[in-house]
Amino acid sequence: MYSVFRQLAEKWLRIPPEPEPPPGDEASARVFRAAPKFLQYLKVMWGITTGFSFLLALVPIGIIIAIFADDGSYKGEVVAALVGVEVLLLAVLSGHALFRLALVHLDYEKRWYLVTDRSLRIREGVATVREITFTFANIQNLSVTQGPIQRLLGIADLKVETAGGGSGASAQQHQTVGLNLHTAYFRGIDNAEELKGLIAARMRGHKDAGLGDRDDHHAPVQELPAASLSFNAALEEVLAEARALRQAAAKP
Amino acid sequence: MRRRLCSNETVPAQPDTGIFALERPQPSLWKLYVIRCILSGPAIFITLPYHYFRYLTLRYRFDEEGIHMKVGILFRREVNLTYARIQDIHLSSGFIQRWLGLADVQVQTASGNSGAELVIEGFREFEAIRDFLYSRMRGARGDSRPAAAAQPGHAPQAAGEGSVELLLQIRDELRRTREALETRSQHPDV
């Protein structure tokens, strides 16, 4: 059922496939996806809003029906019509809720986070597809936000900001970008602290303020642990070999 | 002009020259405007002429320094933006745009504006434009430079890869020396 919906959406909305890493950085690109817990989180939020809308739609009519049913002065047709309206409302609401659930699922699936040595790229969206590209040289702020339900599920949002303000409307829960285009969100990731550390380490290499200065002077390059692992392994092998050589030479 | 634009898509080897040639948006941008105006309802009588002249007068120019956009017939607007000042690049497309094969490239500088300073709309080669801008924005350069140390983050890996090879060669050299030494100690008279 859902796969049919997804296929139809992909076909009719022309949802593009997985994003390409920025040119020149293909080798170092790491692709993240939102954590599976993020889907649970989205479903919980869906459940809350759906429950609330049902409550809002049904309670007033229920009360009216109860009053009319009690009051003998009204005819049965009025009550029947009201019940009919309520049934119709229920059907529409359920249909809408199911559609939104499918949309939530699709939104979770169509979400990619790319981090390379020099930049990050976030793709999200179903009807409107957005792809954001920041270079680490331009990033000003990193912050991790986590609500109570997110903490329970062990996920968090990482917010990345570049310079420039503006009072754009705050992004909605499932959006990466609100109206403020200087802000991007890694929504629902379970390694927010690790990713924050990674981006912060990349940012540290830049001496300037990230406000458009020409980047022809930089701090001395720091060895990054991930990149230097194989380097160290090779060093150790050379050391072992040199040791064996010394022992061979020391033999009488 | 159109033929040249189309041929750019098939020649990704020289994306820069293709981007420099871009000037007028595709005719499908006009279609997009019409669809949007129809969807906007009764306001179509105001929005359609406005967008018609916008489509007619919209001009972009990419050069070595930056992007220039010119638009408007009564009220003219000209935006100039240098590549080095670009803060972030957004690629945004609604599904109607995707039907027409278009997307908006929203380019921003560090101004106090929450919206985009410059929107490049109406080009089919939006991905190429985005990659072109990316390669010229701050912090993205480096692969054209011979000095790998000038690029933080990228440099350790690049240096690491080469030096691992080198280290392995040194190890092999050491190993051969040791083996030679061992054979000599086993046959001292050789």
Side-chain angles (χ1 to χ4, degrees):
Chain A
M1 183 72 183
Y2 168 68
S3 63
V4 173
F5 173 79
R6 185 180 57 201
Q7 276 169 13
L8 278 179
E10 277 172 353
K11 192 180 167 196
W12 287 103
L13 297 180
R14 303 237 170 134
I15 301 171
E18 197 174 338
E20 297 278 321
D25 289 340
E26 287 87 352
S28 61
R30 281 172 71 191
V31 183
F32 296 90
R33 303 298 303 263
K37 296 269 185 191
F38 184 56
L39 182 59
Q40 280 183 29
Y41 171 71
L42 288 177
K43 281 180 177 167
V44 167
M45 298 316 279
W46 170 83
I48 290 171
T49 49
T50 305
F52 199 69
S53 67
F54 269 89
L55 213 67
L56 220 67
L58 296 184
V59 166
I61 290 188
I63 290 169
I64 293 167
I65 289 173
I67 291 167
F68 279 160
D70 265 5
D71 201 340
S73 60
Y74 288 96
K75 285 179 183 171
E77 290 105 67
V78 180
V79 178
L82 278 173
V83 170
V85 166
E86 182 159 338
V87 166
L88 201 71
L89 203 65
L90 203 71
V92 169
L93 273 182
S94 319
H96 182 237
L98 275 178
F99 176 70
R100 272 185 35 238
L101 183 64
L103 219 54
V104 155
H105 214 288
L106 199 62
D107 180 81
Y108 164 75
E109 281 180 3
K110 301 291 169 195
R111 193 173 272 285
W112 283 274
Y113 309 127
L114 263 77
V115 177
T116 74
D117 275 349
R118 276 173 286 175
S119 57
L120 61 90
R121 178 167 285 179
I122 297 172
R123 156 84 75 78
E124 58 107 37
V126 173
T128 301
V129 175
R130 286 206 188 82
E131 217 171 289
I132 306 144
T133 311
F134 288 174
T135 54
F136 295 132
N138 286 329
I139 292 173
Q140 297 289 328
N141 277 333
L142 294 169
S143 52
V144 178
T145 55
Q146 195 180 38
I149 301 172
Q150 285 168 312
R151 189 170 315 143
L152 219 62
L153 292 167
I155 56 170
D157 294 346
L158 176 64
K159 183 176 162 193
V160 183
E161 284 174 287
T162 60
S167 53
S170 62
Q172 278 174 22
Q173 209 48 251
H174 62 90
Q175 276 181 317
T176 297
V177 174
L179 293 175
N180 190 341
L181 297 176
H182 293 292
T183 313
Y185 288 92
F186 287 87
R187 292 277 183 208
I189 48 174
D190 50 11
N191 54 351
E193 284 298 328
E194 183 207 326
L195 193 58
K196 194 178 98 178
L198 182 77
I199 296 176
R202 303 263 199 262
M203 280 164 67
R204 233 167 274 140
H206 293 272
K207 220 178 188 176
D208 53 33
L211 286 168
D213 320 322
R214 293 254 175 208
D215 55 350
D216 36 17
H217 48 79
H218 283 300
V221 169
Q222 295 172 351
E223 284 289 315
L224 292 169
S228 55
L229 266 179
S230 52
F231 183 77
N232 284 348
L235 268 179
E236 272 162 21
E237 282 198 33
V238 170
L239 177 67
E241 201 51 52
R243 201 166 276 157
L245 179 68
R246 180 175 53 80
Q247 281 162 1
K251 264 186 219 162
Chain B
M1 192 64 209
R2 250 194 101 183
R3 275 196 60 184
R4 225 160 81 202
L5 285 172
C6 292
S7 66
N8 286 333
E9 292 179 344
T10 56
V11 189
Q14 300 162 311
D16 288 10
T17 51
I19 301 296
F20 286 142
L22 295 177
E23 194 192 351
R24 293 262 298 130
Q26 297 270 323
S28 42
L29 181 67
W30 171 233
K31 283 187 209 161
L32 177 71
Y33 282 163
V34 170
I35 294 171
R36 275 187 185 162
C37 290
I38 290 169
L39 291 179
S40 74
I44 188 166
F45 294 108
I46 302 155
T47 54
L48 198 62
Y50 169 78
H51 280 103
Y52 176 68
F53 287 114
R54 183 183 163 84
Y55 167 70
L56 271 193
T57 55
L58 192 58
R59 295 281 187 289
Y60 292 97
R61 192 160 58 80
F62 296 85
D63 62 20
E64 288 298 332
E65 280 299 304
I67 324 163
H68 312 268
M69 185 187 93
K70 231 184 199 173
V71 71
I73 193 157
L74 287 175
F75 297 93
R76 293 205 181 170
R77 205 165 90 94
E78 203 178 322
V79 185
N80 297 299
L81 205 141
T82 36
Y83 300 127
R85 302 278 167 184
I86 295 175
Q87 286 277 320
D88 27 272
I89 308 173
H90 295 239
L91 199 65
S92 154
S93 58
F95 62 92
I96 301 173
Q97 278 172 303
R98 289 199 294 279
W99 284 341
L100 295 167
L102 301 175
D104 287 350
V105 183
Q106 301 171 331
V107 184
Q108 295 182 92
T109 60
S111 80
N113 205 332
S114 62
E117 266 78 65
L118 193 138
V119 181
I120 303 167
E121 53 182 347
F123 291 111
R124 283 178 199 282
E125 41 285 89
F126 49 87
E127 292 236 345
I129 295 174
R130 199 258 313 260
D131 289 347
F132 168 82
L133 294 178
Y134 170 79
S135 65
R136 268 146 206 268
M137 78 192 271
R138 254 168 47 78
R141 283 167 292 168
D143 31 6
S144 57
R145 284 187 194 184
Q151 276 306 311
H154 192 66
Q157 206 178 26
E161 276 165 14
S163 40
V164 167
E165 291 277 308
L166 213 62
L167 277 173
L168 292 178
Q169 279 173 17
I170 295 171
R171 184 200 62 187
D172 292 344
E173 210 48 50
L174 282 172
R175 184 171 288 163
R176 261 177 247 129
T177 317
R178 176 171 54 88
E179 279 161 9
L181 206 63
E182 275 168 1
T183 46
R184 210 166 58 179
S185 65
Q186 276 159 18
H187 315 280
D189 37 283
V190 175

